[in-house]
């Protein structure tokens, strides 16, 4: 039987990226099942979609088997910022690894397409610059970031083994730092921290000397990349880098945020966290060639939209969401 609507499962759908993805999928006419355990995600992120006839939210932990019927799966469930994923590192690994096994088992049973939200962290503190997909990385297996880095690397292994062993139709996206409205205000990531600090007039905390680099992709561009990857030919499995190749030092970002918010905040220096990557920039040639994708939103434009979001959030004076117990 041919269905009127494609049924799409988004794990981690109440999170930052997941909620934007759910919106795009609904807008193009899909049936969306948003699954989340609300560890770092929130009901507020999906509130505008609740009540939509093609949208459903389900509280569930991906480390537990799941039996639903869908055509496509986007596997995003996993805490993403260092502060969040180091909060309960064992749970982070379980989410990355057991979550991948369960979602791959589901995809195998249903003969569904499945996309994994992997990460530039699989490259660790890279010794090759910019990072191409064939670079195998420089990851510390026993450091404070390892629960996330190694969990995501193992998830990639599982994706490719399920493809080889069970012919599962997989896609793996390696996401580089992405930002935008609905980032968790307490997630400790650099853009949410700097904007919140600038808006509150608090000191801007630069870790290390601020000369480490990152490349920042606006969320709408990233979501477009997800959709193109999922919709592409089955031979396009990835891993494929998705990110914005424009590279900035963290000190440059701090100055830009101060300028754009008109803040009186001063810059203060704090110790660099262990294993913090010194340089990060995606080589997106593969995404350009195979997905005809490239980011379109420059940092200033994306920051304007993100600052507006945080400004409204802070003005409302609502207590900031805290981490749910796990
Ligand atoms: P986020 O924390 O906002 O979203 C993650 C979501 O997963 C949250 O809603 C959380 O409650 C949910 N979740 C966590 N553990 C779960 C579990 N065991 N079962 C069910 N749900 C669970 O983070 P995000 O930035 O939206 O990241 C989404 C995905 O993209 C993650 O897999 C992350 O690793 C990946 N990613 C994000 C970035 C980025 O810059 N935002 C970069 C690289 C990779
Ligand atoms: N699984 C699931 N939903 C399904 C099918 C499987 O959650 O619809 C889980 C299943 O419980 C198992 C995992 O996915 O823990 C891997 O499934 P697979 O069939 O690959 O492995 P097996 O069940 O043979 O261990
Ligand atoms: N960072 C910083 N001040 C902050 C938060 C982060 O200088 O308040 C730095 C951090 O050390 C890292 C970069 O900004 O070099 C990006 O950090 P984030 O946690 O956003 O992402 P990731 O390190 O996972 O790329």
């Amino acid at each position: 039987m041919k269905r009127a609507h494609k049924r799409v499962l988004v794990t981690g759908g109440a999170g930052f990226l997941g909620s934007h993805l759910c919106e795009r999928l609904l807008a193009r006419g899909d049936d969306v099942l948003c699954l989340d355990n609300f560890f770092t995600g929130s009901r507020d992120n999906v509130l505008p979609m609740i009540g939509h006839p093609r949208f459903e939210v389900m509280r569930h932990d991906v480390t537990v088997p799941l039996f639903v019927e869908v055509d496509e799966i986007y596997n995003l469930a996993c805490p993403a910022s260092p502060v969040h994923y180091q909060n309960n590192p064992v749970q982070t690994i379980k989410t990355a690894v057991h979550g991948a096994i369960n979602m791959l088992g589901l995809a195998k049973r249903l003969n569904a397409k499945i996309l994994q939200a992997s990460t530039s962290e699989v490259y660790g503190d890279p010794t090759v610059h910019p990072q191409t997909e064939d670079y195998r990385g420089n990851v510390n297996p026993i450091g404070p970031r390892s629960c996330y880095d190694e969990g995501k690397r193992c998830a990639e292994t599982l994706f490719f083994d399920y493809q080889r062993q069970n012919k599962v139709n997989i896609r793996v996206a390696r996401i580089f730092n992405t930002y935008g409205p609905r980032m968790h205000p307490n997630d400790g990531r650099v853009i949410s921290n700097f904007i919140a600090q600038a808006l509150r007039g608090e000191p801007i905390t630069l870790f290390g000397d601020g000369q480490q680099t990152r490349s920042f992709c606006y969320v709408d561009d990233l979501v477009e990349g997800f959709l193109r990857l999922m919709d592409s030919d089955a031979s396009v499995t990835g891993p494929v880098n998705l990110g914005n190749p424009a590279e900035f030092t963290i000190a440059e970002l701090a100055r830009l945020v101060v300028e754009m918010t008109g803040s009186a905040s001063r810059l203060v220096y704090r110790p660099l966290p262990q294993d913090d990557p010194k340089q990060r920039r995606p080589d997106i040639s593969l995404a350009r060639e195979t997905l005809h994708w490239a980011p379109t939103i420059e940092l200033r434009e994306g920051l304007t939209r993100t600052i507006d979001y945080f400004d409204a959030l802070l003005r409302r004076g609502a207590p900031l969401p805290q981490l749910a117990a796990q």
Side-chain angles (χ1 to χ4, degrees), residues 73-76 113-117 159 171 173 226 229-230:
I73 303 165
Y74 289 84
N75 187 36
L76 273 60
K113 277 199 252 184
I114 180 165
L115 182 149
Q116 167 69 353
F159 267 69
R171 319 289 153 120
F226 274 169
L229 180 56
M230 185 64 108

Side-chain angles (χ1 to χ4, degrees), residues 1 11 24 36 72 96 125 138 188 203 209 216-217 267:
M1 186 187 76
T11 78
R24 279 290 300 275
D36 209 290
E72 291 181 353
D125 188 1
N138 177 33
D209 60 6
F216 300 103
C217 184
L267 308 186

Side-chain angles (χ1 to χ4, degrees), residues 15-76:
F16 160 52
L17 296 181
S19 60
H20 285 273
L21 175 62
C22 288
E23 270 178 357
R24 279 290 300 275
L25 294 167
L26 271 186
R28 75 176 194 180
D30 295 341
D31 266 332
V32 178
L33 174 56
C34 164
L35 179 148
D36 209 290
N37 72 348
F38 298 108
F39 173 46
T40 55
S42 81
R43 221 173 279 282
D44 283 348
N45 286 340
V46 290
L47 209 54
M49 291 176 269
I50 288 175
H52 190 293
R54 283 185 281 101
F55 184 69
E56 193 181 344
V57 185
M58 181 178 179
R59 179 187 285 267
H60 181 86
D61 193 306
V62 286
T63 59
V64 177
L66 172 75
F67 293 88
V68 292
E69 311 301 313
V70 292
D71 306 302
E72 291 181 353
I73 303 165
Y74 289 84
N75 187 36
L76 273 60

Side-chain angles (χ1 to χ4, degrees), residues 82 145 177 188-190 193 205 207 212 214 250 276 280:
R145 297 175 86 99
N177 299 61
R189 282 191 261 202
V190 69
N193 264 13
T205 52
F207 297 166
Q212 69 273 36
R214 293 292 187 274
I250 295 304
D276 198 279
R280 183 181 287 157

Side-chain angles (χ1 to χ4, degrees), residues 105 123 135-136 151 159 167 186 197 236 250 262 289-290 300 324:
Y123 302 124
Y135 175 53
R136 293 184 184 177
F159 267 69
K167 310 272 178 293
N186 290 343
Q197 289 164 343
V236 184
I250 295 304
E289 284 158 25
T290 55
R300 250 179 202 277

